[in-house]
Amino acid sequence: MIKLFEFTGRPFISIAEEFGRIMLLFLSASSWAFRPPFRFRIVFKQMESVGVNSVIVVLITAISSGMVLALQSYYGFRMFGGESLVGATVALSLTREIGPVFTALMVTGRAGSAMAAELGTMRVKEQIDALYAMSVNPVQFLIMPRIIAGILMLPILTILADFVGIIGGYFVGVELLNINSGIFMARIFEMVKLNDIVNGLIKSACFGLILSLVGCYKGFYTVGGAEGVGKAATQAVVISTVSIFIGDFFLTAVMF
Amino acid sequence: MIRLIKVCKSFGKQKVLVDLDLDIPPEKTTVILGQSGSGKSVILKHIIALMNPDSGQILVNGTDITRLNDKELNEIRKNFGMLFQDAALFDSMTVGENVAFPLKEHTRLSQKQIKTIVEEKLMQVGLKDVTQKMPAELSGGMRKRVGLARAIALDPKIILFDEPITGLDPIMSDAIDNLIIQTQQHTKATCVVITHNIESTFKIAHRIAILYEGKIVECGTPPEIEISAHPFVQRFINRKTKDSNCG
Ligand SMILES: Nc1ncnc2c1ncn2[C@@H]1O[C@H](COP(=O)(O)OP(=O)(O)OP(=O)(O)O)[C@@H](O)[C@H]1O
Ligand SMILES: [Mg+2]
């Protein structure tokens, strides 16, 4: 019986432990954010790398989701003559959910895993030790800039995704399914409130924090050579993805 | 002055350092000899607090560095320069940026002054026209020398060299030995050198410490080591395996 508890309990304990250590890393990174030297150049470089790495996949995902949303909602609404609502439905789903979540998932796959691999390589090749040896704190030099870049870039990418997604929806709705373009747009402006957009962006900033923090955490504590680096990158993606979905539920519950 | 007192370190079941005592005199070059895998790199990492002993003390100028917090360690480490066994250059930076890194972080020198120092240090290790290259584009021996240039860039008071000449040709090895001697004399630095090369040891060492089975079994000046009665020391400096007979 006790064995059974042990067996089922252990994963939960290790999850709790891991969560605790991620939080500790977060605290130490945030305490470094307000201490000189400020590393604007590195932050900027990381923002560029998060953005450049991910912008194409984010745009492709967004435009296809917008188009699919338009198609699906059109078939639904047509049953009771509500075609005019297609635009608003597409826009609301995108700004509130699809934009932030899909963007975060795509960036996790590109930039989150890259962060884990990069820091993991630095760990196993003793470059992190070298930073310590040269009196440069690696949390401040490596982790803090990546987290800031994640928090700042995700909302920007999400705005792009929202915009492109709505264009995709417009193309399907107006050009292919012949919904009146004036009505399509009017309903969007009528139904989508600034709040929907802002809350979506707050969500995406939280996701940016999650994916960069988890990526850095997994990379920073990599052990076991090249194989360990591969594992760190994979685990970073898995943990970030799951955390983004769980976080999305709670954020949605609180916000809307 | 660096002093290790009763330092123990294990990795899992494997005991690497066992009640190790070692005194490293200031402004001198101390060479640590020992078999591959015996724990020489581990000793260096303890001296710069990249590893913490399971028990024991490590005094650097009288301060026990095993009890310091991150901030205090940061201050202490500013006195150090370290060459890692695998150089540990930053992959994402050019050679020039690597050598300039400690200068940029810890001095207020202008870009131009830094550039001059970087070129000078690279020249000293026999490298030129490499500042724009990435570490991945260099040979192993070249990387090591860049690591050496980075370690001495700030003219630190304490310099730790983990196998500075391993992987270099005999001529370059000799040049690096000379560089270590010159740097040490010039800056009055405390140098700790790990090497497997006996000839180089006797050339650069003021003191030699020999690590065997987790302890320093012999420590003294080169002439003292040469006449040591310890069987392992004799075998080691005369390159004899256990069973070979000198005849
Ligand atoms: N981070 C670590 N985790 C686990 N074991 C380690 C670690 N670092 C070193 N060891 C072990 O400690 C022992 C000593 O390692 P160390 O790197 O100090 O050897 P060394 O004397 O420098 O050898 P070499 O001359 O080959 O460089 C080795 O057996 C190694 O397996
Ligand atoms: Mg070694």
Side-chain angles (χ1 to χ4, degrees), chain B residues 107-124:
Chain B
T107 68
R108 291 172 176 280
L109 299 174
S110 68
Q111 293 277 7
K112 215 172 144 199
Q113 285 167 310
I114 290 181
K115 197 168 168 249
T116 315
I117 299 178
V118 167
E119 269 161 19
E120 177 198 298
K121 298 288 174 189
L122 284 171
M123 195 70 87
Q124 285 182 356

Side-chain angles (χ1 to χ4, degrees), chain A residues 92-151:
Chain A
L92 273 178
S93 328
L94 274 169
T95 52
R96 285 172 158 220
E97 278 301 326
I98 307 283
V101 173
F102 277 26
T103 304
L105 295 181
M106 288 302 130
V107 178
T108 300
R110 295 302 307 258
S113 61
M115 288 179 190
E118 204 180 339
L119 295 203
T121 308
M122 292 189 74
R123 167 65 77 187
V124 300
K125 290 174 88 178
E126 295 187 319
Q127 292 167 30
I128 289 182
D129 280 346
L131 281 175
Y132 278 119
M134 287 187 272
S135 296
V136 173
N137 188 297
V139 174
Q140 186 217 20
F141 186 76
L142 298 172
I143 297 183
M144 196 266 296
R146 285 173 169 75
I147 292 180
I148 294 183
I151 295 177

Side-chain angles (χ1 to χ4, degrees), chain B residues 73-84:
Chain B
L73 279 177
N74 248 4
E75 283 309 309
I76 290 261
R77 287 191 188 121
K78 284 182 186 163
N79 301 308
F80 280 87
M82 177 161 182
L83 165 65
F84 284 78

